[in-house]
Amino acid sequence: IHWALDSFQMELNELTNVCNEQEKELRLLQNLMQEQSDRSKLISAQEDTVFHELNALEINALNFSEESHFVSKGCATVMEEIQSMTDVKLTSIPFKVVAQSQSSGHYPTINNLRLAYRTNEKSGLTAEEINCAWAQVAQLVNSVCGLNNFNSPTIRLIPLSHPCAKLLTNTSGDQSVHNLGCDATPAPGCRSALPTASLVSFVSLLSQLTSHIIFNGIVDQSTLPNPMSNHSINNIDVTKIVESDVARWSCVVFCIAENLRWLSKLPIDIHI
């Protein structure tokens, strides 16, 4: 009997140990299941966050696509407007230069003002009209200089000055001022004429401007009506014309007018 009791007690002890081990395993499994449950909840929460962010990204992508479409249309419209502005010859609107053939007997004009070397009582050409015309010329040249980023190192034009436009020259450190216009009160019996020094300086400035335009490839040199150098126009050396040679000075003024008309019709290039 003692042996049977001892044997039974041993079995009970073994069963107790087995139960204790199983309880440990059960607690371990419960802990693992709790960890898995926590991970599952965390992953689920992260998935919800990702779905929300993905949905927000899709909405942003749709908005960006619409905005991009509108911006593209806006850019296309702006480029069309720029092209239209480029095609418009803006300087030809405020400055209308007319220069018929010299044999026609008509003075060249700018904005319906006659452009000439000296006054003419028979045709009613006064110093005031000539001075107004040359003031318009000065404004045209200054406008073209500004549009083409050109500044002469030696000559400066002042269009709106009394009683006429003026030229400021700076050559070899010597500064001087020239009237780009006629004397309104000449000596009795004399016609009023532009100072020849003014025309020489103006031809030099016009030559510098046209050279700048041609050098920068804005237009081809072959389109210039009258070739120019620093002291000549259409192969006429203005430094060698005497003041009394009205015919040659008038020819110079006509050639200047033709080149001014060419300037007034230059297209304006707009860069973005």
Side-chain angles (χ1 to χ4, degrees), residues 4 10 34 40 56 61 75 102 114 146 154 169-170 203 208 263 272:
M10 290 179 62
Q34 185 62 43
S40 177
C75 288
Q102 295 187 57
R114 287 173 287 183
T154 56
T169 61
N170 186 352
V203 167
Q208 293 175 29
L263 281 181
I272 300 300

Side-chain angles (χ1 to χ4, degrees), residues 32-261:
L32 290 175
M33 288 181 65
Q34 185 62 43
E35 289 179 2
Q36 291 296 326
S37 177
D38 293 341
R39 288 181 181 179
S40 177
K41 290 178 181 179
L42 178 61
I43 291 172
S44 178
Q46 290 177 342
E47 286 179 348
D48 291 339
T49 302
V50 168
F51 282 128
H52 285 303
E53 291 178 353
L54 181 60
N55 187 46
L57 285 174
E58 290 177 349
I59 293 173
N60 290 337
L62 181 61
N63 292 336
F64 177 79
S65 178
E66 293 178 353
E67 290 178 2
S68 176
H69 177 67
F70 288 133
V71 169
S72 297
K73 287 184 65 177
C75 288
T77 302
V78 170
M79 293 304 296
E80 289 176 0
E81 292 177 356
I82 290 174
Q83 184 60 46
S84 299
M85 292 173 65
T86 304
D87 294 337
V88 173
K89 300 168 185 177
L90 295 180
T91 54
S92 66
I93 296 173
F95 301 104
K96 181 181 179 182
V97 182
V98 177
Q100 301 180 14
S101 63
Q102 295 187 57
S103 59
S104 67
H106 295 287
Y107 287 101
T109 62
I110 179 169
N111 291 348
N112 297 320
L113 295 168
R114 287 173 287 183
L115 198 61
Y117 165 62
R118 69 173 186 176
T119 59
N120 189 336
E121 293 181 1
K122 291 182 179 179
S123 62
L125 181 57
T126 64
E128 288 78 8
E129 182 178 353
I130 291 175
N131 291 349
C132 287
W134 282 102
Q136 291 285 303
V137 167
Q139 291 182 59
L140 167 59
V141 172
N142 273 358
S143 297
V144 176
C145 286
L147 290 169
N148 291 279
N149 298 319
F150 172 75
N151 288 304
S152 170
T154 56
I155 304 170
R156 181 185 172 193
L157 263 177
I158 304 178
L160 303 177
S161 180
H162 183 77
C164 60
K166 288 180 170 54
L167 284 158
L168 275 63
T169 61
N170 186 352
T171 307
S172 302
D174 295 329
Q175 296 183 354
S176 56
V177 180
H178 303 284
N179 287 334
L180 190 61
C182 298
D183 186 358
T185 58
C190 298
R191 292 187 182 183
S192 181
L194 266 73
T196 55
S198 298
L199 282 173
V200 170
S201 296
F202 184 79
V203 167
S204 178
L205 173 62
L206 194 60
S207 174
Q208 293 175 29
L209 175 58
T210 54
S211 296
H212 172 81
I213 291 170
I214 292 169
F215 177 79
N216 284 280
I218 299 171
V219 290
D220 190 81
Q221 185 173 3
S222 62
T223 63
L224 181 66
N226 299 292
M228 302 189 72
S229 70
N230 210 32
H231 295 108
S232 70
I233 183 168
N234 198 22
N235 299 320
I236 302 173
D237 190 339
V238 293
T239 62
K240 295 181 180 179
I241 309 175
V242 296
E243 187 175 353
S244 58
D245 194 344
V246 178
R248 296 197 74 191
W249 280 120
S250 296
C251 181
V252 168
V253 171
F254 183 85
C255 293
I256 288 174
E258 287 189 319
N259 283 10
L260 290 173
R261 181 180 59 187

Side-chain angles (χ1 to χ4, degrees), residues 2-18:
H2 288 291
W3 178 83
L5 289 173
D6 291 338
S7 177
F8 182 72
Q9 186 64 42
M10 290 179 62
E11 289 180 0
L12 286 176
N13 291 337
E14 288 179 359
L15 289 173
T16 301
N17 291 333
V18 170

